[in-house]
Amino acid sequence: MIRRILYSFLLLLACKLTYAQQPAPNANLLLWDDKPATAWMTEAYPMGNGRVGGMVFGGVTEEHIQFNEISLWTGDEKETGAYQAFGDLFISLKGTGQPENYRRQLDLSRATQQITYTDKGINFKREYFCSFPAKVMVLRFTADRKGAYNGIIKLNDAHKSVVEPADMGMRFSGKLENGLAYYAGLQVKTEGSGYMVVGPDGKGGTQINIKDADSFTIILSAATDYSNQRASKWRGEAPEGKVKQVLAAAAKQNYQQLLADHLADYQKLFSRVAIDLGKGDAKTAALPTYQRIINYKKTPDAQLESLLFQFGRYLLISSSRKGGLPANLQGLWNESNNPPWRSDYHSNINIQMNYWLAEPTNLAECHFPYLDYINSMREVKKDNTKEQYPGVRGWTVKTENNIFGGESFLWNTPGSAWYVQDIWEHYAFTRDKAYLKNFGYAIIKEIVEFWDDHLKKRPDGTLVAPDGWSPEHGPHEDGVTYDQEIIYDLFTNYIEAADVLGVDKPYRDHVADMRAHLLKPKIGKWGQLQEWETDRDDQQDKHRHASHLFALHPGRQISISTTPDLAKAARVSLEARGDESTGWSMAWKMNFWARLHDGDHAYRILNNFITLVGGSGVDYNEGGGIYANLFCAHPPFQIDGNFGYVAGVAEMLLQSQTGTLELLPALPKAWQTGSIKGLRARGGFEISDMQWKAGKLTRLVIKSTTGGDCKLRLPNVLKYGGKAIGKQYSLKTKPGGVYTFSN
Ligand code: FUC
């Protein structure tokens, strides 16, 4: 008896502790709304585990979660196809439909969504998340009164197959026109007094009735038989077995375990970076997110700026996880079987922009889906490339790409060379030599070989890329600046890779010689950086692509310290292009201005970016901004702008592309006081802490992961080891060493 009392007491204590351990949500990391979403694109909140993702509407009597799985694609090696919607989950619940205190929120610190409301005196609470370790979506419904839940759960296949009963739940499956097999299944567990019944829906399908349940949990998973192996014809394990296994394993765990595993996994990545760009007033911070975006035009709200930064990191963790496919034009969220631009992998800015944030904001693991994707494409792209350019080695790509190597629109000849930048950058940030040797180097080299064979030699020895096109305007001709600059970047990355590994010296020297002979960027008649070899740039041209500035960002051929004249010309071009544009284009411009060390101009664009855009707008040339759910508006929604924004903020605070760590290189006046923890720099360095006050750097902690010299350019004098040091400082570091500077 005494034992039992003691046991109950301990159990109570344990529950109390778990409850107490749950930190209060950090208001700076919340998106929230005071009403359910009515529109998928602009209001629903996304969640995902890199494979399965959902858009949550949060309705009270009718919940709707539209879901996706990242490999559900039509098309093949020849046809581009399109990324597909997977299905919908509808949960109709009995209630008055007139709830009080409604709130739905997305908590970025936990990657969970909560929906709370009171109906007839009963407090209802839902919590949703997508777990990477458990590979499932988890939806939990609770209330503070017994038997509060009565309702119906329905599942819908976006390709119209019939939903059938399954073990404790429902399932559907089918094949797309390309033969890709898919399967989705869910299980429902009720808790306490109620029960659930799986039965016919009266229309030939299946539904689940929930009766008098105290609470219930739905776990859902979906898969296809896609494999990223061309050798197995892009098909692998059948989806049914995979989903059943995942569901069975998840069903064995209770909700708290599933949640704890999810939090441990997610927070390991997310919490590496903390940002504070200044505090707004508390009243503003407490407003629903859409209201904050509206207010932003009148009242400064630095916390909204940092929220958008962390939201981008949340999106990458949710749509790009090791073992999966890269984030596409919409990450992995897509409700249409005919989405804008196929929701594909565009190679002339978009997929690259999706990954600009990965290394600098300490999400190197999330970079791998893209790097693995590039690797998986090699053989099929070699065949495609040979058809177009007989006799060449290596490979390149067209602009629109799917997951089977199929492609469409025009050849984007430097596309694969731009891919190489990411292959190289993963090494540059991590200094992981084994990765470079065993994975990266061969890819870099074969793409160099493509250009070795494809470049055209003029009688004076100048090398030009034949028949190029500056995205997406102007004539098709030789020596387009976009092509030339990306090839320069490719050759530079190759040369450095060969040097690091100490291999292929003769070929490395040949590539250095080719690089020396490349046609270089030129300054034109109005002081601009020429987009073409012929000086024909139009000062009125507002085109969203500013691809001839690649060398400034994300390239490193032009910088204000190494090539000041070209940097000045880039500035002239950028000024002429103007500040307003589409979503991703504005994000790119933030990065350009940051590289020009003009923080106030970068901030002006950041300001334009944070503009609430209405729902129906479609404009591929201008009108970018964000929606109420913080998704970036091209318009319509395109995720590259969200990711490019994060990279832009990071570039304003830290740069390392020239081999020197530049601290606060483009700090705007608006961010006089702030801090950031956890950014990464090339050379294997982590800025564990950086704080500034009144525009001056006051504290800097650098962690060296692999040792070596760390060159610094500081915005002001700091003390190191008790002594004042100048703005240029070179630090000798040891692997694992931590170095603290203060004022
Ligand atoms: C490029 C851009 C378009 C759009 C598309 C997905 O072609 O020019 O604006 O972003 O990609």
Side-chain angles (χ1 to χ4, degrees):
M1 184 65 186
I2 292 180
R3 251 195 170 165
R4 256 173 70 188
I5 293 173
L6 195 71
Y7 180 73
S8 319
F9 174 74
L10 283 176
L11 204 72
L12 203 75
L13 196 74
C15 290
K16 270 242 156 81
L17 275 180
T18 349
Y19 184 75
Q21 273 160 7
Q22 299 242 331
N26 178 346
N28 298 331
L29 293 171
L30 288 182
L31 279 72
W32 78 277
D33 208 319
D34 48 13
K35 55 191 178 316
T38 54
W40 183 94
M41 182 173 76
T42 59
E43 293 175 2
Y45 289 153
M47 59 184 184
N49 62 12
R51 285 177 191 267
V52 175
M55 288 290 278
V56 176
F57 284 71
V60 173
T61 51
E62 181 78 37
E63 172 62 289
H64 177 195
I65 295 156
Q66 183 276 330
F67 65 91
N68 289 98
E69 199 280 345
I70 200 161
S71 66
L72 192 70
W73 267 84
T74 56
D76 51 33
E77 289 192 359
K78 294 287 165 217
E79 288 293 313
T80 324
Y83 181 47
Q84 302 290 292
F86 211 115
D88 301 86
L89 186 59
F90 295 100
I91 302 142
S92 331
L93 294 170
K94 269 205 186 127
T96 63
Q98 307 286 325
E100 289 158 25
N101 302 326
Y102 177 88
R103 181 181 171 106
R104 71 183 164 102
Q105 70 180 29
L106 166 57
D107 183 347
L108 303 182
S109 71
R110 295 158 48 91
T112 56
Q113 299 198 30
Q114 284 92 19
I115 294 143
T116 48
Y117 58 93
T118 307
D119 197 8
K120 281 201 192 150
I122 308 174
N123 296 312
F124 290 89
K125 181 175 178 190
R126 306 178 195 162
E127 186 163 62
Y128 304 162
F129 60 89
C130 286
S131 165
F132 175 71
K135 304 190 173 80
V136 289
M137 181 185 291
V138 183
L139 312 167
R140 178 161 166 86
F141 296 71
T142 57
D144 65 358
R145 179 132 359 129
K146 284 193 165 298
Y149 281 106
N150 282 285
I152 296 170
I153 305 172
K154 288 187 178 168
L155 194 59
N156 168 51
D157 175 1
H159 294 88
K160 309 253 178 282
S161 73
V162 175
V163 176
E164 297 170 335
D167 182 26
M168 303 296 288
M170 303 183 275
R171 43 158 280 170
F172 67 74
S173 60
K175 274 193 177 173
L176 300 182
E177 65 227 28
N178 60 2
L180 191 82
Y182 63 88
Y183 182 102
L186 66 78
Q187 289 200 3
V188 181
K189 263 201 239 176
T190 55
E191 281 157 44
S193 54
Y195 61 97
M196 66 103 158
V197 189
V198 182
D201 67 355
K203 293 179 207 146
T206 307
Q207 66 180 32
I208 295 176
N209 282 43
I210 300 282
K211 300 268 193 209
D212 302 325
D214 299 352
S215 65
F216 66 99
T217 305
I218 304 175
I219 47 175
L220 176 143
S221 194
T224 74
D225 64 352
Y226 174 75
S227 138
N228 71 355
Q229 302 296 314
R230 187 189 198 205
S232 61
K233 301 197 161 59
W234 308 105
R235 296 293 182 274
E237 215 187 307
E240 178 163 355
K242 287 192 277 192
V243 172
K244 281 186 172 163
Q245 200 183 3
V246 158
L247 286 179
K252 277 196 204 122
Q253 300 186 52
N254 67 29
Y255 179 77
Q256 295 306 335
Q257 278 170 312
L258 285 168
L259 178 64
D261 288 354
H262 159 69
L263 290 178
D265 164 74
Y266 172 77
Q267 290 177 338
K268 192 183 84 205
L269 297 170
F270 182 79
S271 60
R272 285 178 190 159
V273 174
I275 186 170
D276 176 0
L277 298 174
K279 312 251 177 299
D281 71 294
K283 261 199 219 138
T284 307
L287 293 170
T289 310
Y290 69 89
Q291 193 59 55
R292 281 179 81 169
I293 309 172
I294 295 169
N295 283 22
Y296 181 78
K297 292 290 150 194
K298 290 173 275 168
T299 326
D301 185 355
Q303 283 174 351
L304 182 60
E305 294 159 359
S306 54
L307 181 70
L308 200 53
F309 174 89
Q310 292 290 32
F311 180 61
R313 295 184 66 245
Y314 164 81
L315 290 176
L316 191 69
I317 302 171
S318 304
S319 61
S320 185
R321 294 300 299 268
K322 235 175 166 173
L325 285 159
N328 60 45
L329 283 174
Q330 297 183 172
L332 57 68
W333 299 279
N334 167 36
E335 63 163 347
S336 165
N337 291 331
N338 185 19
W341 289 287
R342 310 162 194 276
S343 195
D344 69 0
Y345 298 106
H346 258 60
S347 69
N348 69 0
I349 175 66
N350 315 89
I351 189 172
Q352 290 91 345
M353 184 178 281
N354 281 3
Y355 286 90
W356 287 348
L357 75 163
E359 302 289 339
T361 75
N362 221 328
L363 296 174
E365 294 91 334
C366 298
H367 206 172
F368 269 93
Y370 180 32
L371 307 179
D372 288 339
Y373 169 78
I374 296 168
N375 186 38
S376 75
M377 290 294 124
R378 290 162 71 186
E379 297 314 313
V380 56
K381 296 294 184 189
K382 279 178 200 165
D383 289 351
N384 296 356
T385 303
K386 272 199 193 84
E387 267 177 38
Q388 176 70 13
Y389 305 106
V392 295
R393 291 168 293 168
W395 56 278
T396 190
V397 292
K398 289 187 179 177
T399 301
E400 303 179 330
N401 295 274
N402 70 14
I403 62 172
F404 314 104
E407 50 197 331
S408 54
F409 196 48
L410 302 173
W411 283 95
N412 172 31
T413 33
S416 62
W418 196 344
Y419 286 176
V420 162
Q421 191 179 56
D422 277 69
I423 301 277
W424 167 252
E425 295 262 80
H426 179 71
Y427 170 77
F429 278 86
T430 61
R431 292 274 165 124
D432 181 347
K433 256 197 199 179
Y435 152 85
L436 187 63
K437 179 164 179 263
N438 303 324
F439 180 91
Y441 183 75
I443 302 174
I444 304 177
K445 189 174 176 192
E446 70 195 20
I447 294 170
V448 167
E449 285 168 346
F450 170 79
W451 284 103
D452 192 354
D453 296 345
H454 187 59
L455 280 170
K456 199 157 142 184
K457 195 178 202 156
R458 288 187 175 154
D460 68 353
T462 307
L463 293 171
V464 290
D467 194 27
W469 190 40
S470 196
E472 296 178 3
H473 67 158
H476 293 247
E477 62 185 22
D478 295 352
V480 166
T481 307
Y482 164 77
D483 292 2
Q484 299 296 125
E485 290 177 342
I486 295 178
I487 300 162
Y488 184 96
D489 195 66
L490 167 73
F491 287 173
T492 304
N493 294 335
Y494 174 75
I495 292 163
E496 292 186 16
D499 287 347
V500 166
L501 299 176
V503 294
D504 287 339
K505 181 79 169 71
Y507 194 64
R508 178 242 177 253
D509 291 345
H510 167 65
V511 175
D513 182 61
M514 287 197 291
R515 184 178 67 171
H517 285 90
L518 282 174
L519 179 70
K520 301 287 175 341
K522 299 205 289 185
I523 300 174
K525 53 182 182 273
W526 45 279
Q528 88 282 14
L529 192 82
Q530 284 178 216
E531 188 157 358
W532 300 276
E533 188 182 10
T534 305
D535 188 358
R536 65 161 82 83
D537 302 64
D538 175 359
Q539 244 166 312
Q540 305 309 318
D541 182 358
K542 303 283 180 219
H543 199 274
R544 61 189 179 282
H545 286 267
S547 312
H548 54 312
L549 306 186
F550 172 93
L552 176 66
H553 180 278
R556 51 192 165 125
Q557 189 181 358
I558 297 179
S559 81
I560 56 173
S561 52
T562 56
T563 58
D565 293 342
L566 290 171
K568 201 169 146 206
R571 189 184 178 101
V572 171
S573 291
L574 204 49
E575 265 161 2
R577 275 296 213 268
D579 294 345
E580 309 241 348
S581 194
T582 62
W584 62 257
S585 175
M586 285 201 275
W588 200 356
K589 286 173 185 170
M590 277 171 64
N591 286 274
F592 286 140
W593 284 110
R595 287 263 169 112
L596 289 171
H597 292 194
D598 191 333
D600 285 334
H601 205 135
Y603 186 77
R604 198 192 305 164
I605 297 184
L606 176 151
N607 233 273
N608 293 345
F609 189 92
I610 304 183
T611 299
L612 189 65
V613 175
S616 54
V618 174
D619 189 331
Y620 303 150
N621 294 312
E622 56 183 14
I626 51 174
Y627 301 114
N629 58 6
L630 299 190
F631 266 168
C632 179
H634 184 317
F637 161 50
Q638 210 169 283
I639 209 163
D640 37 23
N642 285 104
F643 293 138
Y645 171 95
V646 182
V649 171
E651 288 284 333
M652 290 162 79
L653 302 175
L654 171 69
Q655 292 175 25
S656 59
Q657 72 281 1
T658 58
T660 297
L661 270 60
E662 303 188 64
L663 292 312
L664 302 182
L667 188 72
K669 285 193 202 74
W671 295 342
Q672 281 302 287
T673 296
S675 67
I676 189 156
K677 294 186 171 59
L679 287 184
R680 301 210 37 137
R682 293 168 188 84
F685 301 110
E686 178 168 319
I687 308 302
S688 313
D689 193 13
M690 175 158 78
Q691 299 178 13
W692 61 96
K693 281 199 187 84
K696 294 243 178 302
L697 186 61
T698 55
R699 181 179 153 84
L700 175 67
V701 182
I702 299 177
K703 189 172 159 195
S704 170
T705 54
T706 54
D709 284 352
C710 178
K711 282 194 229 145
L712 298 173
R713 186 171 299 131
L714 306 168
N716 49 268
V717 172
L718 280 182
K719 273 191 195 147
Y720 177 64
K723 272 192 242 132
I725 54 157
K727 291 189 192 174
Q728 311 258 13
Y729 191 73
S730 186
L731 184 70
K732 295 231 175 305
T733 71
K734 292 198 190 108
V738 177
Y739 307 88
T740 303
F741 301 74
S742 59
N743 73 344

